[in-house]
Amino acid sequence: MPDLSINLAGLKLANPTMTCSGTCGYAFEYADFMDLSQLGAFVTKSITREERRGNEPTRIVETRAGMLNAIGLANVGLKRFLDEKVPQLRKMPCPVIVNVAGHSFDEYTETVAAMNGLDCAAGVELNVSCPNVKDGLTFGTHPGRLKELVAEVKKVLPSKPLIVKLSPNVEDITVTAKAAIEGGADVLSLVNTFTAMAIDIHKKRPRLANVTGGLSGPAIKPIALHLVSRVYRTVAKHTGTPLIGMGGVQTWQDAAEFVLAGATGVSIGTALFVDPATPNKVVTGLSDYLQKQGIERLTDLVGALQMPGDEPRKTPYP
């Protein structure tokens, strides 16, 4: 059988599939619908220092080939997370990555510091790019502030990989990617949702109470793929920074495209609302694909996309 294992800056996973934060709760919410033990890693809902109710409804609407959400980081807050959710996470049959969000340096560092000593947290994903809270893009769209934030957070997370989740809502994502790496990011995940809106033509009002939300799903996959490829070729490849690709992954073929573009790991989000077992099917499909291609290791495919003008890639395969 082909080897699907990956290594994210020291975090070793059995396969590249992960859940996108905010799409499957805190732990076992989807346990009846997918085999959690077959996940490469489970990524929790965003945790903030203080409990948040999130935005007023309507918070989710379906769009053509996608979904708009404006949840607004609703979550139980750090104290309840530690008291109520961590005991469940300790029983998870796969590695757990905790997603952390915040509104200030102090809030980010205090929440991340609490994860450093947690035995059930294999790593932290830093959400600096939520488009659905008032100041959610403050860090993620400003390279200087992002670099400074990542540097401060990394100080309190010395023993675990720090993943920084990048916003696509910037002029040049390679600039923020470079800033995050210079600040100390071990891994980058991209992309978060795109700021967008939908209108109820009968009421002549926005369909979301928040007016705008984050667009996800198949509609954004070609754009996400392009941004992963750009970041890989411009920044990540020569710095040796692993990427986690996300944005509209529904099938193993989608996952294979992200890997070829330069992603080491692949996260699945909106597709879980259609078929929660999607990550398990992606693993099976990738394994069959590699076997048919005669490729022994998935990692041999990372960034193997041949672009016009590229030197022929040295490979052990025909």
Side-chain angles (χ1 to χ4, degrees), residues 23-200:
T23 61
C24 47
Y26 296 99
F28 286 97
E29 286 87 339
Y30 274 25
D32 290 340
F33 308 105
M34 75 161 78
D35 184 350
L36 294 169
S37 70
Q38 296 300 311
L39 282 173
F42 176 86
V43 182
T44 71
K45 188 173 179 54
S46 288
I47 307 300
T48 53
R49 186 176 61 187
E50 311 298 337
E51 186 170 343
R52 287 179 56 90
R53 293 184 57 187
N55 295 325
E56 294 299 318
T58 302
R59 307 198 294 191
I60 293 179
V61 298
E62 187 173 348
T63 61
R64 192 180 306 150
M67 185 178 78
L68 268 176
N69 92 82
I71 302 298
L73 297 178
N75 76 96
V76 298
L78 179 58
K79 184 179 185 308
R80 287 183 59 198
F81 174 76
L82 295 174
D83 292 343
E84 301 171 14
K85 307 302 180 184
V86 164
Q88 297 177 41
L89 290 175
R90 289 198 169 107
K91 300 175 184 175
M92 288 289 280
C94 63
V96 172
I97 295 169
V98 179
N99 184 288
V100 171
H103 297 278
S104 66
F105 284 81
D106 289 345
E107 184 173 2
Y108 272 109
T109 54
E110 187 175 328
T111 308
V112 171
M115 306 305 160
N116 192 53
L118 274 186
D119 53 0
C120 61
V124 168
E125 182 180 57
L126 208 61
N127 184 355
V128 293
S129 53
C130 179
N132 302 322
V133 292
K134 197 173 180 181
D135 53 356
L137 291 173
T138 302
F139 292 101
T141 57
H142 190 291
R145 284 175 63 83
L146 179 61
K147 179 179 176 180
E148 189 178 357
L149 174 69
V150 173
E152 290 301 311
V153 167
K154 188 58 189 172
K155 289 178 185 174
V156 299
L157 192 75
S159 57
K160 296 179 180 178
L162 176 63
I163 303 163
V164 176
K165 190 171 186 175
L166 298 178
S167 170
N169 301 301
V170 293
E171 183 176 347
D172 185 351
I173 197 170
T174 65
V175 175
T176 46
K178 185 171 184 286
I181 293 171
E182 288 177 349
D186 301 301
V187 181
L188 301 179
S189 58
L190 66 158
V191 294
N192 207 331
T193 56
F194 290 77
T195 303
M197 72 182 296
I199 295 173
D200 184 326

